[in-house]
Amino acid sequence: MSTTLRICAVLMLACLSFSLWAPPALAQEVPDDEIRAASVEFDGELPPLFDRQMFFGDPQYSGSQLSPNGEMIAFRQPYKDVMNVWVKGIDEPFSEAEPVTADTTRPVSGYFWTHDSERILYVQDKGGNENFHVYAVDLDAERTEMGVPPARNLTPYEGARASIANVPEEQPNVIYVGLNDRSPQNFDLYKIEIDSGDRELIFKNDEGIGSYTFDLKGNLRLVSKQTSTGGTEILRVDGDSLTSVYECSVEESCGVIRFHPDGERVYMSTNKGPEVDLQQLILFNPDTGESEVVESDPEGNVDFGGAEFSPVTDELIATYYVGERVRIYPKTEQFAGDLEFLRGELPEGDISFQGSTEDGRLWKVVSSSDVNPGIVYLFDREAQSIDKLYETRPEIPNDHMAEMQPITYEARDGLEIPAYLTVPKGVEAESLPTVIYVHGGPWARDTWGYSPYVQFLANRGYAVLQPNFRSSTGYGQDFLNAGNRTWGRGAMQHDITDGVQYLIDQGIADPDRVAIFGGSYGGYATLAGVTFTPDLYAAAVPYVAPSNLITLIESFPAYWRPFLEGTWYKRVGDPEVPEEREDLKERSPLFYADQITAPLLVVHGANDPRVKQQESDQIVATLRDQGHPVEYIVAPDEGHGFRNEDNNLALAAKMEAFLAEHVGGRYQTSTTDDIDQRLAEITVDPSTVEMPETSDEAEASKTSALPDADGSVIQPTTVEYTTSLSIQGRSLELTTTRTIAEAMHEDQSAWRIVDDISSPMMNASDTLIVDRATLRPLARHVKGQGTVQLSYSDDAITGQMQAMGQSMDIDKSLEAPVLASGSGMELAMAGLPLEEGYETTLRTFNYQQQNVRRVKLAVTGSGTLDVGAGSFETLTVEVTALDGNDAGTGTYHVMADAPHHVVKADVNLGAAMGGGTATVELTATGTTTSESR
């Protein structure tokens, strides 16, 4: 893998993917008087009980990287009690290293060298919110009072997320970064000078581009995006234009890996084609469209896994595949010799190559296994010699760790399910207390190797099953797609259930002592397991777990929105499609919580941007109200999984006691004062958790009659508004001129409302035609960076959206008539019989999100309001959501006399706009019937 690709991969794995564990620091056997024995009998003798610190404490050293010039090594170790980056000379002992970062609140997990070996760049978020910023540290700079060189924030845009796109070898003072500071949904591409921090816009992303590919000389050559039907499209960058060169459907996968040394072709991983199931490595020419297969799995079992490229010649030197274990296939004689030498010198286990010097002489090589998290070596290719740098976990007694065995079992429909089974060391695999450990994603997979949670649980006396249920990646597209729309009550959950039954049938698991545990999707499967198969499990630990698929999908971060069609909508369901919304509800454990019989330990991070804390709050509150036993942990400084050592140790202490009580394993009764205190701080009393209310009104609003609006009070007029947007700490001003005029539409009397919108970034025009009497929408035409054409009826909305040469048909079936959003709702409000105490419900169609919104409108007060257009007597109208989506809700101040035009409004923009707000103010009026004072 090239240096640039390795950097991106390291950052992705370290910072963006869901990670449930943080490694250990000090190991020791727990004294007998600090152990509560298991409540079950084992056939054999368990190994000593080891302190949980060994599994979940911070390591002494981890994440090392060679400097490109081969003179230094960077690595992570604690500094000021938090994992930070240190640097030492390559021949110096680790004791001579010096810290170069000093984050005191959150571990630094993703970092890398610049190509000139003069700086360390790292990424960091705040409390797990995943709004990563990029920081630069000049190693030769004078050290601050914190004992490290100063860290410069290269992306100091509050609320924005930075994504590193390229680190060009030929420009060591430059990085290319995707930033969503202009639009929360889209990442514009910037060139940033590391020395000065100056940035230059390279690509303004108004097309939903998801990734950028540079050639080996640092030139932007390709971009990719999701199509309107959920597939993937790869486009060639031709100056200021984009040309589509490769496309795969939503049922297929395709992606660019890197450019070939010839500068013309690119390596891609793809399974495009009706007869292709497994992803294969191909070479593709974006100019000619020609492609050739380089390789697919020689054993024909799994997808293409990855590649290694020479740091000197950029040629392909090895490929690898992840089956039961990792398989490496050399592509050059030199690499084949290197691999043979290393296999003869290193301990039994998997070998991984984790970076090299720019001259290719020195490589960092790691040997790891299921019982050893890794030994790190410095491999000299020229001398054919290796030197041990350090052991990732020298404290771990490998002989006492449990072996992880690859197994397969047959699901109820005959599909073979791959899995990993770990049985406690020293005892027979008979009638064991068992934990089903479900991976997240779900479009991911478990692999063979060391897992802190697996070894921790096995050491406590539990058998651990890790099923790679259908929808897990790596086993081909058929296996992946077999899980579509089967969450909770379908085949994906059945695969997990059938795994439990397999262990019971084999006599391995005690059927009365099975627990289930997992994070993210694994947390959802945990809740689904105890909800839909309540007799199967004795306890459950759902970790950052969705409980309601509807609120989960509707609350996703704005930058996920461009990719939902090909993932969540296709594979799970679209909550805006009525029948799919009902199906999502059927698969949501929250609505069937009364079926749960097992006790739960619910765990969440307060800043989780993917699965909001609300998902855990609502299941905890529901179970509490039903009198069901539930315990709750919420870490205020974490996001989608815990990273801080104290939180991980506190959770481990609570979890092992919980499982011992309900499933029967042994556990360590002792804790340190610090962990006792931290556990108390993150433990939440379920009686204090508030449950979002659902009401009959919300359900009725789906089909209830719209209120009668009186179109006769509307008069031709022109008004002007200013809108101040505040999105994730950024501000933007818009000016809207609204013209209302009489019109005819297909022989029908109508009002034509034209909003001409201008801002520093764009101009747009929104023309809405409504019935003159009822103010119900008839047609709409929007023109800006794209166009939208809509026709409305009582039971459907049809039309088309066009942008960047692509079009998408709109055909939205309606359960009941709707109003138009934006100016349509405001004009309807102008014609309603508003007075203090008035309440009603409205439905509007949001063409941007293509969903029907349901809100409650209530007049709560009155007063005099001064704005730019003058002083007005107003009514205060509160608009609240009835569908869990706060977009468009807020406080509206409207003219007291009809027509009740908006004078001022403070409106929520919702998750799709990054959770921002808009303040709208009337600045000029024309001919109206309201009195301006």
Side-chain angles (χ1 to χ4, degrees), residues 234 246 254-257 266-270 280-284:
I234 298 169
Y246 195 95
C254 58
V256 177
I257 299 173
V266 292
Y267 287 102
M268 292 179 57
S269 176
T270 181
Q280 52 194 7
L281 179 66
I282 70 167
L283 271 172
F284 172 73

Side-chain angles (χ1 to χ4, degrees), residues 706 709 745 748-751 753 767-781 790-797 814 816-821 823-825 827-828 843-846:
L706 292 173
H745 179 76
Q748 184 174 348
S749 297
W751 290 110
I753 308 99
T767 301
L768 176 67
I769 307 296
V770 302
D771 182 271
R772 193 177 299 180
T774 66
L775 304 182
R776 301 281 180 87
L778 302 173
R780 190 167 206 159
H781 179 71
L790 300 176
S791 295
Y792 296 78
S793 68
D794 285 349
D795 58 7
I797 299 171
L814 301 174
V818 299
L819 299 172
S821 60
S823 61
M825 189 185 87
L827 194 71
R843 287 181 303 277
T844 63
F845 177 70
N846 184 322

Side-chain angles (χ1 to χ4, degrees), residues 56 78 94 153 182 189 284 292 347 558 565 575 589 826 860 901:
F56 299 107
F94 280 85
N153 189 350
R182 178 183 64 88
L189 182 66
F284 172 73
E292 62 177 286
E565 185 66 41
E826 292 175 11
T860 60
H901 290 301

Side-chain angles (χ1 to χ4, degrees), residues 17-306:
S17 298
F18 173 71
S19 177
L20 288 178
W21 59 275
L26 299 175
Q28 69 179 71
E29 295 182 18
V30 178
D32 289 344
D33 61 353
E34 297 177 7
I35 301 174
R36 202 201 80 168
S39 58
V40 298
E41 293 186 4
F42 296 95
D43 184 0
E45 184 178 350
L46 291 170
L49 190 77
F50 294 104
D51 195 299
R52 66 182 71 90
Q53 178 80 26
M54 188 183 81
F55 300 100
F56 299 107
D58 287 337
Q60 183 176 11
Y61 310 126
S62 72
S64 57
Q65 294 188 38
L66 299 174
S67 64
N69 63 11
E71 297 177 1
M72 294 171 284
I73 296 177
F75 60 95
R76 294 187 306 131
Q77 76 169 358
Y79 179 62
K80 298 187 180 297
D81 298 322
V82 176
M83 291 297 284
N84 276 284
V85 181
W86 296 61
V87 171
K88 76 177 190 71
I90 196 163
D91 295 323
E92 292 178 342
F94 280 85
S95 59
E96 296 295 316
E98 294 184 334
V100 296
T101 70
D103 197 312
T104 59
T105 60
R106 193 158 178 80
V108 176
S109 56
Y111 78 94
F112 55 93
W113 290 92
T114 55
H115 285 291
D116 56 11
S117 302
E118 295 181 359
R119 306 176 188 86
I120 292 288
L121 301 184
Y122 70 96
V123 296
Q124 187 63 289
D125 68 352
K126 293 182 179 180
N129 67 2
E130 299 188 14
N131 284 332
F132 294 100
H133 289 210
V134 182
Y135 296 84
V137 176
D138 295 296
L139 300 184
D140 293 334
E142 184 177 349
R143 293 181 174 258
T144 68
E145 60 184 16
M146 294 292 289
V148 298
R152 293 180 291 110
N153 189 350
L154 300 180
T155 55
Y157 310 106
E158 194 63 31
R161 174 188 174 107
S163 174
I164 296 175
N166 189 43
V167 185
E169 295 185 21
E170 297 185 6
Q171 304 174 68
N173 188 45
V174 166
I175 57 172
Y176 290 87
V177 176
L179 280 168
N180 66 340
D181 59 328
R182 178 183 64 88
S183 166
Q185 292 190 17
N186 296 320
F187 288 78
D188 296 328
L189 182 66
Y190 287 91
K191 176 182 178 181
I192 297 179
E193 301 283 344
I194 299 175
D195 281 345
S196 65
D198 292 342
R199 68 174 187 172
E200 175 188 354
L201 180 64
I202 301 298
F203 186 93
K204 185 178 180 182
N205 182 8
D206 291 319
E207 297 82 24
I209 299 302
S211 67
Y212 301 93
T213 301
F214 293 73
D215 63 21
L216 300 179
K217 294 183 178 180
N219 303 306
L220 178 63
R221 298 278 297 277
L222 300 171
V223 298
S224 68
K225 60 181 291 188
Q226 187 176 109
T227 65
S228 60
T229 56
T232 300
E233 182 181 19
I234 298 169
L235 304 100
R236 188 180 66 233
V237 179
D238 294 324
D240 294 331
S241 63
L242 300 176
T243 303
S244 180
V245 295
Y246 195 95
E247 186 172 333
C248 58
S249 73
V250 68
E251 301 289 345
E252 303 165 331
S253 299
C254 58
V256 177
I257 299 173
R258 57 164 284 158
F259 266 83
H260 187 275
D262 64 17
E264 297 179 356
R265 297 173 294 169
V266 292
Y267 287 102
M268 292 179 57
S269 176
T270 181
N271 58 8
K272 179 179 179 178
E275 305 300 323
V276 182
D277 179 39
L278 299 176
Q279 290 192 46
Q280 52 194 7
L281 179 66
I282 70 167
L283 271 172
F284 172 73
N285 190 316
D287 292 324
T288 66
E290 296 176 348
S291 66
E292 62 177 286
V293 175
V294 177
E295 185 181 82
S296 59
D297 180 14
E299 296 187 7
N301 293 327
V302 295
D303 289 332
F304 169 73

